Amino acid sequence: MRRASDRYTPESSRHSAGTWRAARRLAGRIWGWASRLAPLPVSRAPHPLTAAPHPDPQNALPSVDARSVTKQPMASIRSSLRIQGDDNLQSMIVGTVMRKVKSRSWKKQRYFKLQEDCKTIWYKSKKAGKAHSTFSVSDVEAVREGHQSEVLLSIADEFPPDRCFTLVFRGRRGNLDLVAESAEEAQSWIRGMRKLIENLENMGERERLDQWICDWFKKADKNKDGRMNFKEVQDLLRMMNVDMSEHHALRLFMMADRSQTGSLEDDEFVQFYKMLTQRDDVLRLFQGYSSDGQKMSLRDLEEFLRTEQLEGDRSQQRALELIDCYEPSDTAKMLHAMSIDGFLMYLSSAEGSIFNPHQQGIYQDMSQPLCHYFISSSHNTYLLEDQLRGQSSVEGYIRALKRGCRCVEVDCWDGPNGEPIVYHGHTFTSKILFKDVIAAVGSYAFKASEYPVILSMENHCSVDQQRAMAEHLEHILGDRLLKTVLGGKTPNMLPSPEELKGRILLKGKKIGSLEDSLNGMGEESPMGEVSDEDEAADIDEENMRSDSFHRRPRKSKQRLSKELSDCVVYCKSVHFSSFKHSRIHSKFYEISSFTESKARKHMREAGAEFVHHNGRQLTRVYPSGLRTDSSNFNPQDMWNAGCQIVALNFQTAGVEMDLNDGLFSQNGRCGYVLRPEFMRSPEGRFDPECPQNYEGYRPISLAIQVISGQQLPKVNIKEGSIVDPLVRVEIHGVPMDQAKQETRYIDNNGFNPVWYDNLQFTVHVPELALVRFVVEDYDKTSKNDFVGQYTLPLTCIQQGYRHIHLLSKDGTSIPPASLFVHIRMSDLPLSGLGP
């Protein structure tokens, strides 16, 4: 195997080994360190919803409690050593020269090397001097072998597939396409990267903390000597978002520097780390329920679980389970007790998260008709950017499907050589082949969810190219493409997601009725519209009077080929006339599409009728053609009316996609969420504007105490800048429920801000409500900067003391950033809650 070790000696790697070994020693000592802090005086913690004093944020201590480190020595170090014994990883640490490919004409050699932390990939150009780049293994979501990207497909005639692979990054970052010098080197990197990704995903809480400690030590150890002077400590504090006076920082440094050498080594850094990372908020809560201030007995923990976490009758069993799962001390386990270590581990775990773990798997009834579900849906799925000049790519389909999207859009136009193409018509967006889109859908349709995928066709093709489309659909998708009704009998309702598992449905125009096709009737269609969704023709009428739009474009008129028509079964696109017309004439398998403005118009004029209509058949809502920047409308408005297929631009981050991700974060992230019962009942007359009138109206009071934050990321790259965080809680639901409240902002503390602020909401329709927690960096002179967010259905919230693990603007995790809150919900009396 060719290696580059004697060709390059990266400057950045010369001193890294010493720093890494020192960091690992420190991590091991931290795990082996037993807390010797004197216990705080025992006192019952105040009830979270009563006013609490506001602690001085300057003196509040940061996140992971020093005593959460345990006596199980160096578990993560042993894990790392096992990793480093892997031949593929050893080869990656030596380094390899590979081609980085951006296009058929841009293929440049780069030297790639895995750093000794087994977490960072370092690479540089042959000719770029000292310039180099790095990326974290944790940023890589997957590795694809062979020609599985458009870029690598474009050079398939030049490089064989066994030398090519693609690193797929999380969020919206572009992929990295690479060509190795040999198939062996490619396999070494493919297997090695997959091993590293798997290892990171399987890390326990202790190993994550180990890694976190090592990362900070490496960042602070500028001269790579394995020790930390006071200047490096000051830099470390700024990097960690801690604003501490030089006097106080020097006092902590001198307390830790027991050897009086002017630098911190090994145990001294452990002592400094201990002083930085105590969680006073958790310690206060722990000692409020501990009988002796040292540990929680089984009875203490039962009381906490029953009183605060509302575990009810099973509190004793839960207490035993939690001790067995999270308590690191064997002695405490034998006593059926929990230490502060185990208590913090429980609160930081999935079971201590705000999201109820019982609702993270498939927990809903999946045997109801398709129209009874909200369906995760994408608009202009092929676009990675804006819809005027953006890039079209099959990557858009792959990303959407891997996020659980179940309805993707395909805009089809006549292409050269008889091959239909996909792009945003009449714009400068790039073009991709229809058959490549279908191949990507076929490969990724059921990676994230086994429930059905709907292909929403915007068809502008000639009859000949429609036939080519039908041929590609049948050839590539095979039996997965649904071409006839289930069971072969004329149905009277839509099948369920359960019945349609593993199937791909086509949504589009159809010749005649479903009953006709079952009877063998139906031929080539007369001239007519072959697509019900032509955005160029659907620009909002109120904007047609503006100077930008002088006349309404006509929808394209074409014949519909029988071959493509036969691929449409349960999702026949029809023009919407009125709710009255639909009640009398519509079939259950017919689906109408609305621009966002038309949907809002119907909601204003006949909200209850719209909900009732959506109880019988599917509705798709898509963004206005005026949104040339691929921005999104608020999907909550459409879900309030029961619209099932609310299509958003997945490529555009923002509150709208946060809401979409939040709604579909439940039920196994399968892309289907059962709508509330009052939206499914044929007799229901739910009106989102007047929710008090529906049967089953049960308003609730939602009380949230925002207690503290942990390791909030820096958002301002300016040196010395520290976050001034505030937390905003938003309720998204029916119009009566739309609300937001904020905490105070904390000056210069993004590492361990403490609020103890109480927020109170009334929610009239909890079944439709989403709760969004947003952290911002307060700025009195300009708009606040976004720091992180987390959105979830109100019905999925666990009450009690909970951690909220924040997400980035892209919806990806940003560990270890979190909030610590207390949640309480209670029913409200119906009297006095009129409109």
Side-chain angles (χ1 to χ4, degrees):
M1 183 180 297
R2 292 184 58 192
R3 293 191 175 118
S5 54
D6 27 41
R7 285 175 281 177
Y8 292 95
T9 305
E11 186 71 25
S12 65
S13 299
R14 290 180 181 173
H15 305 292
S16 62
T19 301
W20 177 244
R21 284 193 292 270
R24 281 296 184 188
R25 286 198 305 273
L26 294 171
R29 282 176 167 80
I30 287 175
W31 290 128
W33 170 67
S35 170
R36 288 185 285 274
L37 284 177
L40 297 181
V42 177
S43 61
R44 180 69 62 193
H47 191 276
L49 301 183
T50 61
H54 294 145
D56 178 1
Q58 186 68 35
N59 297 323
L61 289 175
S63 172
V64 185
D65 193 311
R67 284 173 286 187
S68 68
V69 294
T70 73
K71 293 185 178 181
Q72 297 185 11
M74 305 178 74
S76 57
I77 298 174
R78 291 198 296 270
S79 173
S80 176
L81 291 175
R82 286 196 299 269
I83 292 173
Q84 292 188 34
D86 184 286
D87 289 342
N88 296 314
L89 297 182
Q90 291 289 359
S91 176
M92 290 170 66
I93 287 173
V94 170
T96 310
V97 171
M98 294 185 282
R99 285 179 175 85
K100 179 181 176 181
V101 185
K102 289 186 177 179
S103 68
R104 188 169 178 84
S105 59
W106 198 103
K107 305 181 288 288
K108 299 192 177 180
Q109 284 193 326
R110 296 287 185 267
Y111 171 66
F112 289 83
K113 183 180 187 297
L114 174 66
Q115 299 289 69
E116 291 194 21
D117 61 2
C118 286
K119 187 184 174 186
T120 308
I121 306 296
W122 181 100
Y123 65 98
K124 69 176 291 186
S125 167
K126 253 184 174 181
K127 302 178 181 179
K130 293 185 178 180
H132 66 273
S133 301
T134 63
F135 61 87
S136 173
V137 173
S138 61
D139 293 334
V140 181
E141 182 179 353
V143 185
R144 298 186 198 142
E145 296 185 55
H147 300 146
Q148 288 201 56
S149 74
E150 286 143 324
V151 169
L152 292 178
L153 276 171
S154 71
I155 59 168
D157 58 340
E158 191 175 352
F159 299 104
D162 60 3
R163 288 172 53 190
C164 301
F165 63 97
T166 301
L167 300 184
V168 182
F169 290 94
R170 300 182 190 280
R172 291 167 175 81
R173 179 175 173 179
N175 296 340
L176 178 60
D177 291 302
L178 297 171
V179 179
E181 293 295 303
S182 68
E184 291 77 17
E185 283 187 345
Q187 276 302 308
S188 185
W189 275 82
I190 290 166
R191 288 193 292 261
M193 285 298 298
R194 286 175 175 167
K195 178 76 173 285
L196 291 171
I197 293 168
E198 180 185 11
N199 180 265
L200 284 173
E201 289 175 347
N202 293 334
M203 264 190 182
E205 289 299 320
R206 290 192 291 266
E207 290 178 310
R208 291 182 192 278
L209 180 57
D210 178 344
Q211 187 70 59
W212 184 78
I213 299 162
C214 296
D215 287 347
W216 281 121
F217 184 83
K218 285 179 61 195
K219 287 176 184 176
D221 186 15
K222 299 290 187 183
N223 59 9
K224 312 299 181 188
D225 64 353
R227 56 182 71 181
M228 195 179 302
N229 60 38
F230 182 61
K231 173 66 168 62
E232 289 173 326
V233 164
Q234 288 180 297
D235 292 340
L236 172 68
L237 294 174
R238 280 192 289 271
M239 285 189 290
M240 296 172 90
N241 238 338
V242 180
D243 183 31
M244 186 180 291
S245 70
E246 184 173 345
H247 173 75
H248 186 52
L250 183 59
R251 184 169 66 88
L252 292 182
F253 180 86
M254 294 179 68
M255 288 171 62
D257 183 20
R258 293 191 299 269
S259 63
Q260 298 183 354
T261 61
S263 63
L264 303 182
E265 305 180 59
D266 294 355
D267 289 340
E268 295 173 339
F269 180 75
V270 173
Q271 179 68 18
F272 182 74
Y273 170 84
K274 174 187 73 174
M275 291 186 285
L276 270 184
T277 56
Q278 180 174 321
R279 281 285 297 275
D280 274 0
D281 52 349
V282 174
L283 191 59
R284 173 185 180 181
L285 177 62
F286 176 83
Q287 295 196 321
Y289 278 91
S290 169
S291 300
D292 60 6
Q294 301 290 322
K295 65 182 182 303
M296 274 190 183
S297 66
L298 185 61
R299 182 173 295 180
D300 294 338
L301 185 55
E302 282 180 54
E303 183 185 356
F304 171 76
L305 294 175
R306 183 172 54 255
T307 305
E308 300 295 351
Q309 310 299 72
L310 304 185
E311 292 283 355
D313 295 337
R314 56 191 304 266
S315 294
Q316 182 176 11
Q317 180 62 32
R318 284 290 291 138
L320 288 168
E321 291 170 0
L322 294 177
I323 290 170
D324 183 61
C325 185
Y326 297 107
E327 176 52 51
S329 165
D330 291 335
T331 303
K333 280 185 179 179
M334 289 175 61
L335 297 172
H336 289 167
M338 181 171 271
S339 67
I340 180 66
D341 304 359
F343 188 61
L344 180 59
M345 286 183 187
Y346 153 60
L347 289 176
S348 302
S349 71
E351 291 182 282
S353 163
I354 191 172
F355 201 112
N356 189 335
H358 299 299
Q359 290 167 290
Q360 287 183 326
I362 303 287
Y363 72 96
Q364 295 180 337
D365 178 6
M366 302 302 289
S367 63
Q368 301 202 28
L370 213 57
C371 60
H372 285 185
Y373 298 83
F374 294 123
I375 303 172
S376 179
S377 307
S378 164
H379 175 248
N380 287 348
T381 314
Y382 47 88
L383 290 180
L384 299 181
E385 301 165 32
D386 68 81
Q387 56 186 37
L388 282 183
R389 298 177 180 275
Q391 178 188 358
S392 301
S393 172
V394 298
E395 190 64 37
Y397 292 91
I398 295 171
R399 291 181 184 179
L401 291 167
K402 291 186 75 173
R403 287 178 74 169
C405 179
R406 298 290 86 190
C407 180
V408 297
E409 184 180 25
V410 190
D411 288 0
C412 308
W413 300 80
D414 282 351
N417 306 316
E419 284 292 346
I421 55 175
V422 173
Y423 82 112
H424 200 243
H426 308 301
T427 68
F428 298 103
T429 59
S430 60
K431 303 171 177 64
I432 52 179
L433 291 175
F434 174 81
K435 64 181 180 181
D436 289 345
V437 168
I438 302 307
V441 171
S443 296
Y444 289 90
F446 305 108
K447 296 282 188 184
S449 170
E450 56 188 346
Y451 291 104
V453 168
I454 300 170
L455 299 182
S456 179
M457 290 289 182
E458 188 173 317
N459 176 16
H460 304 275
C461 291
S462 63
V463 170
D464 285 344
Q465 295 217 4
Q466 289 177 49
R467 291 183 180 128
M469 288 165 58
E471 185 178 339
H472 288 317
L473 286 165
E474 294 186 40
H475 176 71
I476 296 170
L477 301 180
D479 293 340
R480 290 172 296 176
L481 178 67
L482 190 73
K483 288 200 63 182
T484 186
V485 296
L486 299 178
K489 298 178 181 179
T490 304
N492 57 10
M493 67 174 64
L494 287 169
S496 69
E498 190 68 30
E499 293 172 302
L500 292 168
K501 270 184 178 177
R503 308 305 290 270
I504 297 173
L505 284 63
L506 193 67
K507 181 187 93 60
K509 290 287 187 178
K510 183 173 182 66
I511 302 168
S513 66
L514 179 60
E515 293 81 3
D516 289 340
S517 62
L518 287 172
N519 295 328
M521 301 171 61
E523 298 180 4
E524 211 78 6
S525 74
M527 190 71 74
E529 295 170 7
V530 293
S531 177
D532 203 44
E533 296 171 40
D534 187 341
E535 287 178 30
D538 279 331
I539 294 173
D540 307 336
E541 291 183 8
E542 60 267 26
N543 291 304
M544 295 307 299
R545 304 185 186 94
S546 70
D547 293 336
S548 303
F549 303 96
H550 300 292
R551 64 183 181 85
R552 186 175 183 81
R554 293 183 179 178
K555 291 194 176 185
S556 56
K557 300 284 185 178
Q558 278 282 8
R559 283 191 299 128
L560 178 63
S561 80
K562 183 178 185 302
E563 293 83 356
L564 191 60
S565 171
D566 287 346
C567 294
V568 176
V569 182
Y570 292 118
C571 297
K572 176 184 177 180
S573 294
V574 298
H575 177 74
F576 178 81
S577 298
S578 69
F579 291 123
K580 181 179 180 180
H581 181 274
S582 293
R583 265 198 321 274
I584 299 170
H585 300 289
S586 286
K587 307 286 189 179
F588 67 89
Y589 54 82
E590 293 177 339
I591 176 172
S592 296
S593 296
F594 303 89
T595 60
E596 56 179 289
S597 60
K598 287 183 179 177
R600 285 199 187 94
K601 179 175 180 289
H602 291 308
M603 289 165 59
R604 285 193 305 269
E605 296 175 353
E609 279 288 317
F610 207 171
V611 175
H612 191 60
H613 170 87
N614 290 328
R616 302 189 308 270
Q617 59 194 98
L618 291 168
T619 291
R620 182 175 188 265
V621 182
Y622 59 97
S624 163
L626 293 173
R627 294 183 180 272
T628 55
D629 59 350
S630 291
S631 60
N632 284 310
F633 59 85
N634 186 341
Q636 186 70 51
D637 298 339
M638 311 307 167
W639 295 327
N640 291 342
C643 299
Q644 302 91 343
I645 302 178
V646 180
L648 297 181
N649 291 298
F650 271 46
Q651 73 272 26
T652 306
V655 60
E656 298 85 6
M657 274 306 298
D658 292 345
L659 296 176
N660 193 79
D661 290 344
L663 175 65
F664 292 103
S665 61
Q666 61 185 311
N667 206 32
R669 297 183 180 272
C670 74
Y672 285 84
V673 169
L674 188 63
R675 300 185 310 153
E677 193 279 332
F678 55 78
M679 286 185 161
R680 310 192 306 262
S681 170
E683 296 78 29
R685 281 296 183 268
F686 173 76
D687 187 344
E689 295 289 337
C690 305
Q692 306 95 320
N693 299 331
Y694 81 93
E695 187 178 352
Y697 172 59
R698 294 290 183 272
I700 67 163
S701 172
L702 171 64
I704 300 174
Q705 185 180 64
V706 181
I707 300 171
S708 63
Q710 295 78 44
Q711 289 97 57
L712 305 178
K714 291 181 70 168
V715 293
N716 193 328
I717 60 173
K718 188 184 296 183
E719 188 174 352
S721 172
I722 304 291
V723 169
D724 302 326
L726 64 82
V727 179
R728 184 172 63 254
V729 178
E730 303 170 352
I731 308 298
H732 297 263
V734 297
M736 284 183 67
D737 288 340
Q738 300 287 343
K740 59 181 69 173
Q741 294 181 39
E742 292 180 351
T743 66
R744 301 160 295 125
Y745 70 89
I746 303 295
D747 277 321
N748 291 330
N749 190 346
F751 191 72
N752 63 326
V754 176
W755 289 278
Y756 283 101
D757 281 1
N758 297 314
L759 311 177
Q760 189 83 30
F761 302 91
T762 295
V763 183
H764 295 271
V765 188
E767 300 92 333
L768 287 174
L770 295 170
V771 183
R772 183 172 184 255
F773 295 84
V774 189
V775 181
E776 291 183 345
D777 180 12
Y778 173 77
D779 194 318
K780 61 185 176 185
T781 60
S782 62
K783 184 180 178 182
N784 295 347
D785 287 323
F786 174 90
V787 175
Q789 66 84 31
Y790 188 82
T791 308
L792 76 165
L794 185 145
T795 54
C796 293
I797 287 179
Q798 290 200 102
Q799 299 188 63
Y801 286 97
R802 304 294 173 185
H803 276 97
I804 300 170
H805 301 284
L806 296 174
L807 304 175
S808 71
K809 191 171 288 186
D810 278 342
T812 55
S813 61
I814 45 174
S818 63
L819 297 175
F820 188 47
V821 300
H822 184 275
I823 307 284
R824 189 62 83 232
M825 288 182 267
S826 58
D827 292 332
L828 286 173
L830 298 182
S831 60
L833 286 171

